[in-house]
Amino acid sequence: MQLNRKFSVAQSVLLGVCSAALALGLWFLLSNIGITGFPGPAAVLSRAWTSIQNGVLLSDTLASLQRVLIGYAIGIGLAIPVGFLMGWYPIVRGLFAPWMQFLRMVPPLAVIPLAIVLMGIGEVPKVFVIFLAAFLSSLVSTYQGVISVDVTMINAARVLGAKNSDLFRFVIVPASTPFILVGMRIGLGSAWATLVAAELIAAQSGLGFRMQQAQLYYDLPTIFVQLIAIGVIGLLMDQLLLRAERKLGGWQERI
């Protein structure tokens, strides 16, 4: 007997609404049990509306989004080819795999002092820190995807006369695509997670910058607005990648 683990669209929407209602109820409860300074939904909504009206939220969102997109695009653009090279060529793997493991153990946030000294306090170090976070996450997944390709598929393709270029194009790339897309999603989360720290570097705008300014004045509603904005934008971007993953990896069996 096979279990039905998939939900219909209506069921998914209903579950999403119930989840949101539960979260709002819990939020309202926490704001009314005496936690000092903890803002309720109404206070945060009011602050968000004020930020929208004066244009601050829009300008901060655009500034942060630009940094994340640039750093993320460069990171993914480099990680995918490097991951393929490491997975396909043993000599490249031997040269770069130890450095990949080494850099994975160093948090991108620990690179901020070095980035400031070498790159100054402009946009470059902010983008670099975000790039590093996205690059390492995607590199590992791409590399793992290549080395995880079933050897039987490779041997079968060779027996049928496939050249290296055909083997790479029709076997390695399709089989690695699900891993790459998962790495892109993880890299996206890492990029947004690094944003707030990256905007510590003498930023004058951005969601992380505004959050840090609000912290100085104990302005919790503003902090909540920035947190929610980061979460919503990150969720929307992740959903786009998830749709791409389902489309490109539709041949895979799913539970």
Side-chain angles (χ1 to χ4, degrees), residues 96-107 136:
F96 289 98
W99 289 106
M100 178 187 72
Q101 299 300 336
F102 170 77
L103 290 174
R104 285 182 60 233
M105 299 300 107
V106 179
L136 292 173

Side-chain angles (χ1 to χ4, degrees), residues 4-239:
N4 181 15
R5 300 186 179 184
K6 294 184 179 180
F7 293 107
S8 66
V9 175
Q11 289 174 322
S12 298
V13 172
L14 179 60
L15 286 173
V17 171
C18 292
S19 177
L22 181 62
L24 284 174
L26 180 61
W27 184 4
F28 182 82
L29 178 64
L30 290 175
S31 65
N32 285 274
I33 60 175
I35 300 179
T36 304
F38 193 86
V44 174
L45 182 62
S46 175
R47 183 59 52 84
W49 179 246
T50 301
S51 299
I52 293 173
Q53 285 184 315
N54 58 28
V56 171
L57 185 58
L58 177 61
S59 63
D60 285 339
T61 299
L62 292 177
S64 293
L65 191 59
Q66 180 181 8
R67 293 173 184 133
V68 168
L69 288 177
I70 293 174
Y72 177 71
I74 297 174
I76 296 300
L78 287 178
I80 293 176
V82 172
F84 273 120
L85 289 173
M86 288 178 58
W88 189 245
Y89 296 105
I91 188 172
V92 178
R93 185 185 315 167
L95 287 172
F96 289 98
W99 289 106
M100 178 187 72
Q101 299 300 336
F102 170 77
L103 290 174
R104 285 182 60 233
M105 299 300 107
V106 179
L109 303 185
V111 182
I112 289 180
L114 181 62
I116 293 175
V117 172
L118 296 179
M119 304 175 188
I121 57 175
E123 288 296 309
V124 175
K126 301 178 183 64
V127 172
F128 174 76
V129 174
I130 295 171
F131 147 78
L132 189 60
F135 171 78
L136 292 173
S137 300
S138 184
L139 175 62
V140 173
S141 291
T142 303
Y143 165 71
Q144 190 64 40
V146 176
I147 65 175
S148 298
V149 176
D150 192 345
V151 178
T152 304
M153 296 172 59
I154 297 176
N155 292 334
R158 290 192 186 277
V159 168
L160 293 173
K163 300 178 181 179
N164 281 338
S165 58
D166 296 328
L167 184 64
F168 185 80
R169 179 181 176 186
F170 295 109
V171 178
I172 303 300
V173 172
S176 304
T177 297
F179 289 84
I180 295 172
L181 291 170
V182 169
M184 291 175 65
R185 293 181 64 194
I186 296 173
L188 178 64
S190 300
W192 279 107
T194 311
L195 172 70
V196 176
E199 291 183 342
L200 280 170
I201 308 174
Q204 298 300 317
S205 62
L207 298 171
F209 162 77
R210 197 66 56 188
M211 194 183 305
Q212 295 162 38
Q213 291 295 109
Q215 176 192 359
L216 298 176
Y217 301 100
Y218 205 68
D219 186 0
L220 288 180
T222 297
I223 294 176
F224 268 71
V225 170
Q226 312 310 310
L227 284 173
I228 293 172
I230 291 174
V232 169
I233 297 171
L235 178 61
L236 292 176
M237 295 176 68
D238 181 74
Q239 287 300 308

